[in-house]
Every structure is written in structure tokens, then in C-alpha cells.
Amino acid sequence: MSDRRVVVTGTGLISALGTGTEKNWQAMLAGKSGIARVSRFDPLKIDARIAGEVKDFEPEKFIDRREVRRMDLYAQYALAAAEMAVKESGIPIGPDQPHGYAPEKVGVIVGSGIGGISSLEEQHRKGLEKGFDRLSPFFIIQMIVNMAPGLISMRYNCKGPNWAPVSACATSAHAIGEAWKSIKLGETDAAIAGGAEAAITPLGLGGFSVMKALSTRNDDPSGASRPFDKDRDGFVMGEGAGMLVLEELEHAKKRGAKILAELVGYGANSDAYHVTQPAPEGEGAARCMRLALNSAKMNPEEVGYINAHGTSTPFNDANETKAIKAVFGDHARKLAVSSTKSMTGHMLGAAGGAEGVVSALVLTHNVLPPTINQQTPDPDCDLDYVPNTAREAKVDAVMSNSFGFGGTNAVLLFKRFQA
Amino acid sequence: MSTSAIETKVKNIIADQLGVGEDEIKPESSFIEDLGADSLDIVELVMAMEEEFEVEIPDEEAENIKTVGDAINYINTHKK
């Protein structure tokens, strides 16, 4: 691929730990859990009754009240996180601004694993009660997954490629990776990329719960998401959004952007194995990590920290550990691995975006967020997971793993920016 | 229901759905040009008024409702 380099200049993050990148970062460094009993509806008959709900989000702070009514919650999260990222980056879009990017060369690639499921539930209920000729005319635009990038493009006048990947829990890692590729190829010069999710609804929670994918540690919500711990019993649903502003390096320098990190590599592939279970020995995940390293022309030894997929399911964490060992060999024992899902819960389609933000923060702050709830070591998970407490460490490259149902994998590689 | 009661209710619905102040809503206000509605807003407004006043507003009639006054008049004439 071309010599064009891609840098991160803005971040936006909304999760159960709070609204705003800084708020999330402080909570992560303090090892806080955002998990609690589900409050938005009564989950009584569902086995899993806990989740990482966003509690402090005020959409009107980011979006006109009238527009809020027309948007599903997932799109509100997306737009709000995009606003944070654009604001932080100060990216100029349009010829009227000094060193402004051509609108046609700014892409928006923002996905969601599930999209507007609360709108879907509400309108289905309304249809059954009042008739399917009485649905809201906003229903379809609330539900469809590409409305988030559409709305973002309208707000910032981004006239380049505009689309939404949908790849379950790898969604927003794919979004960021594809945006990176688009800038590398010269198709675009900048992008807003990431993902959003708001699927903590009766159908969403009930659906994952009947798959036995979720933790049922209902009496200990903050201890429920415990990736790599021996007593883990499933993931905990989270929600929110994670967004990055990406720019081509030369343009970013010319406009005087503050560069947070460089995005240097991306791998995407498939297990071609099973609808939910990862391939044995983490074969697909390992292959994907190697693809990312190859795309960056990087040696495994350069990676100092991995933000793991680390969902807290028995399968994922053992397989991911095997995959890391297969790729990194002896170096697997030297690098640090942590799962911020231990604190945010699993944000599904927003996870890769959120963890992309965390990756950039690790490189700018020189601190590794912990994996909380590490109490009982699992012999199958025997790496350094930064247990329970954040750790100061200067690493030069960060890998971020995302794997999704359907056997899909996406891996991003970030590097400390060096001119 | 009196004309002024209808007017008040119509204005309430519009203010709520379009997010505009009631003082901005005048009988001569055009939904699209003055109140910033788009075609989807109009569908929603028509449905809300149908439910509120128990009238049926066929599509071909709805097309002629362009101002707040048009809506009030239609409801006045067709309410049960």
C-alpha cells in the first residue's frame, strides 16, 4: 500500500463509565466498573439481569431537541461521540477554512452491530396495538444502521464515502480499519470512523441471554465482567459509542493538528468455522493479528500492549490467549494485555471504536488500563492482564483486537507518533 | 370542541413534534417554509391530528394542508 500515513487527531467515547473521553479514561484508570442491574426495563424473567447502561447521557447537549426525536438512541450516541472527536481534533472541513479538507475527500464510516432495535421494538408494539398503518414515519430512519454515518455527514458536510459496516462485535474495528485503508489509498484524506450501539432492550438482552452468552452473576454486577479470570461466566452487555477522527499525516501537519497516535496497521479475516464459537486454538484470530502486523511491516516484538477482545466468555478469553501466544511466541510473556470490557461491559458494535480510543490514550498518557475482577487465575489464561490496577508503562505500539459472531475478526495497530 | 380549543391542541401538537415555540405558530405559518418541517414531519403531524381529533385525513386531502390554518380548518369541518 501507499506511503501515505494516517494519524488519529480526535476521540469521542460514551460508555457505562460516562459520557466523554476524559471521564471514561479517569474511570478506567481507577478500575471502576460501569455494570449494574438493568434499569431501563424490568429484566425479571431474563437470566442475565445486569448490563453496562449509559447513565449520564443528555442528548440535547449534542443534538437539537427536535432531531433527537427522530433518532434512535444508537444514532444519538454516534452523533454525540462524533461531535466530541471532531471538536477535539478541530478538523477543518471545507474550502472556506484554512487548510480545510475538501468535503468530497472526507469519509464517514460508522457502524453498529444491531442498529435501532429499541425503535424496532417500540414500533412493532405500536403496530400490533394500533395497526401497521400507524407506524411512525421516522421508524425506518431510526432503525437502519447507516443512518448514523448519514447524520454525521450532514452535520459536518463530509461528502466522501459514507457507509456502515455491520460485523457484530468487530463492527467498529472494521469501520476504523476501512477508513484507514481509504485514506492510505488516496480515496479520502480524512475520516470520522467508529461505531455505536444501544441494544440493551428486552429483545437484545433476552436474545443474548438465551444463547447463554451472558454472565448471570446478577448478585454481583461489578464483578460480572471478569475477562481471563477462572470464574468468568459470560459477557455483560454494554452500550455507547467510540469514535476517531483520522487524517492523512501531511495534511494534518500542514493544518497544525495535534496528533494523538498513528494508525499503522489493520487486519480483517474470517474463521470460516462456527456461528458463535471461535475457531480452535484461536486460529482465525491469530491469522488476523499477523495480517495487521504484516500490513504495518512490524515485528511482533514491537507491540507492548494489546487491548484484548477479552469478552469474559469462557471460550473467547482462552482462545484469544492461545492466539496471542501463537503470534507473539516468547514475547507474549513480556507484553501486557488488558480488557477494558471488564469495566465498560461489551459494547458490541461500539467496542472496537471505544477500544480504538483507549489505544490512542495509552500511547498519549503512558498508562495501561487494568483488567478488573482478577481474583482466580485460569491456567488457560496465563498472560499479564494488568490485573486490577492501572500501570504506568511507555509502550510504542498497541494492538486492538475485535472478534465477532459469524467468525469475523478485525485487528488494529496503533503506534506512538514519530515524525 | 370549540375552534379555539382545536387551535390550541393543534398548536400543542406542532410545538411538540417540530420543537418550535407556540408563539412562532400562526395560522398563516407554512409547515415547510416557516416551521422547518419535512415530508416525514408532515406525515407524523397528520397522523397525530387524526388520532387526537378522531378524523381521517386521506392522502389527497393531506397534500392540501400546507399551513397551520389549513389544518385547523380541515379539523373544524371534518370532526365528528
Side-chain angles (χ1 to χ4, degrees):
Chain A
M1 218 166 323
S2 78
D3 294 334
R4 282 161 65 96
R5 293 168 69 184
V6 180
V7 290
V8 179
T9 60
T11 63
L13 183 48
I14 301 169
S15 82
L17 298 174
T19 296
T21 301
E22 185 58 26
K23 204 168 176 182
N24 271 276
W25 185 238
Q26 291 310 325
M28 285 179 186
L29 297 191
K32 279 191 187 148
S33 166
I35 313 304
R37 186 180 167 91
V38 170
S39 68
R40 252 174 238 156
F41 58 95
D42 185 354
L44 205 57
K45 289 181 87 173
I46 300 174
D47 286 341
R49 300 190 276 276
I50 48 176
E53 293 173 318
V54 176
K55 295 276 173 63
D56 65 344
F57 182 62
E58 297 174 62
E60 287 85 1
K61 282 194 173 165
F62 304 93
I63 309 159
D64 186 63
R65 189 177 71 89
R66 173 178 166 192
E67 294 297 313
V68 170
R69 286 186 62 248
R70 300 167 60 128
M71 288 176 202
D72 187 88
L73 183 58
Y74 99 89
Q76 296 173 22
Y77 288 154
L79 209 52
E83 174 71 18
M84 295 170 197
V86 165
K87 216 172 183 178
E88 181 182 10
S89 77
I91 182 174
I93 301 171
D96 53 325
Q97 299 197 54
H99 302 295
Y101 285 89
E104 296 76 13
K105 298 285 269 182
V106 183
V108 182
I109 307 181
V110 171
S112 176
I114 295 180
I117 191 169
S118 63
S119 301
L120 192 148
E121 289 179 31
E122 188 187 322
Q123 293 302 316
H124 185 248
R125 203 178 306 124
K126 196 172 173 192
L128 292 175
E129 281 167 12
K130 294 188 174 177
F132 284 88
D133 58 337
R134 306 307 294 177
L135 301 179
S136 163
F138 302 121
F139 166 48
I140 298 295
I141 61 171
Q142 286 168 333
M143 179 190 66
I144 59 179
V145 174
N146 71 305
M147 199 47 64
L151 290 163
I152 293 167
S153 75
M154 290 166 221
R155 176 177 285 199
Y156 304 107
N157 196 30
C158 308
K159 295 186 171 176
N162 189 279
W163 58 283
V166 177
S167 51
C169 309
T171 293
S172 44
H174 277 123
I176 292 166
E178 295 297 322
W180 172 80
K181 212 192 264 179
S182 172
I183 297 172
K184 290 285 276 185
L185 291 170
E187 178 189 42
T188 52
D189 292 331
I192 299 168
E197 202 75 83
I200 304 172
T201 69
L203 271 182
L205 188 75
F208 282 113
S209 182
V210 295
M211 296 173 84
K212 309 290 176 203
L214 299 181
S215 168
T216 55
R217 197 181 272 258
N218 297 315
D219 51 353
D220 176 23
S222 61
S225 185
R226 46 194 319 115
F228 309 109
D229 186 87
K230 193 167 196 312
D231 298 328
R232 66 189 184 277
D233 71 329
F235 77 84
V236 178
M237 284 184 80
E239 62 169 354
M243 215 64 72
L244 296 178
V245 169
L246 302 175
E247 300 182 48
E248 187 274 319
L249 174 63
E250 292 309 317
H251 197 137
K253 282 205 292 207
K254 206 163 53 184
R255 77 161 186 94
K258 186 178 171 224
I259 294 167
L260 305 175
E262 182 172 358
L263 182 55
V264 293
Y266 167 53
N269 73 351
S270 175
D271 280 5
Y273 175 71
H274 186 264
V275 286
T276 58
Q277 284 174 30
E281 308 296 313
E283 182 274 332
R287 205 157 28 84
C288 197
M289 289 184 233
R290 288 194 184 103
L291 284 172
L293 287 164
N294 289 342
S295 78
K297 300 188 184 70
M298 254 172 74
N299 295 317
E301 291 71 26
E302 291 178 62
V303 175
Y305 167 71
I306 299 175
N307 188 291
H309 187 53
T311 55
S312 186
T313 64
F315 263 130
N316 175 81
D317 300 353
N319 270 277
E320 188 173 6
T321 298
K322 281 182 190 144
I324 291 170
K325 288 181 188 168
V327 173
F328 290 92
D330 292 342
H331 186 63
R333 305 269 168 207
K334 295 175 194 147
L335 53 74
V337 180
S338 78
S339 170
T340 38
K341 289 186 181 79
S342 61
M343 299 173 277
T344 60
H346 189 349
M347 294 160 70
L348 309 177
E355 291 156 20
V357 172
V358 171
S359 301
L361 291 170
V362 163
L363 292 167
T364 51
H365 290 78
N366 300 318
V367 189
L368 309 179
T371 310
I372 65 166
N373 297 317
Q374 299 305 292
Q375 284 163 351
T376 313
D378 178 349
D380 289 333
C381 301
D382 54 353
L383 298 175
D384 169 10
Y385 302 109
V386 195
N388 303 317
T389 316
R391 180 191 304 162
E392 285 189 26
K394 193 174 171 197
V395 298
D396 291 323
V398 171
M399 177 178 273
S400 178
N401 286 341
S402 296
F403 314 131
F405 281 177
T408 181
N409 310 302
V411 174
L412 299 171
L413 263 176
F414 297 84
K415 219 170 165 177
R416 178 182 303 282
F417 174 66
Q418 278 165 334
Chain B
M1 198 183 287
S2 69
T3 306
S4 71
I6 290 174
E7 200 174 319
T8 309
K9 281 220 160 147
V10 168
K11 282 186 178 176
N12 286 342
I13 292 171
I14 295 169
D16 178 49
Q17 298 200 343
L18 299 184
V20 291
E22 293 204 16
D23 50 336
E24 290 173 58
I25 306 168
K26 304 197 169 61
E28 65 274 21
S29 305
S30 153
F31 289 112
I32 291 174
E33 275 136 44
D34 300 319
L35 301 176
D38 64 16
S39 60
L40 297 176
D41 289 314
I42 306 251
V43 176
E44 195 190 33
L45 281 169
V46 166
M47 283 171 62
M49 288 190 261
E50 285 181 327
E51 282 174 29
E52 179 66 37
F53 301 106
E54 295 179 351
V55 293
E56 220 176 284
I57 309 176
D59 287 351
E60 55 275 22
E61 296 283 349
E63 280 168 26
N64 297 322
I65 299 177
K66 298 195 187 308
T67 66
V68 176
D70 293 343
I72 295 167
N73 286 341
Y74 186 91
I75 292 157
N76 250 329
T77 342
H78 293 83
K79 71 168 192 286
K80 282 164 195 154

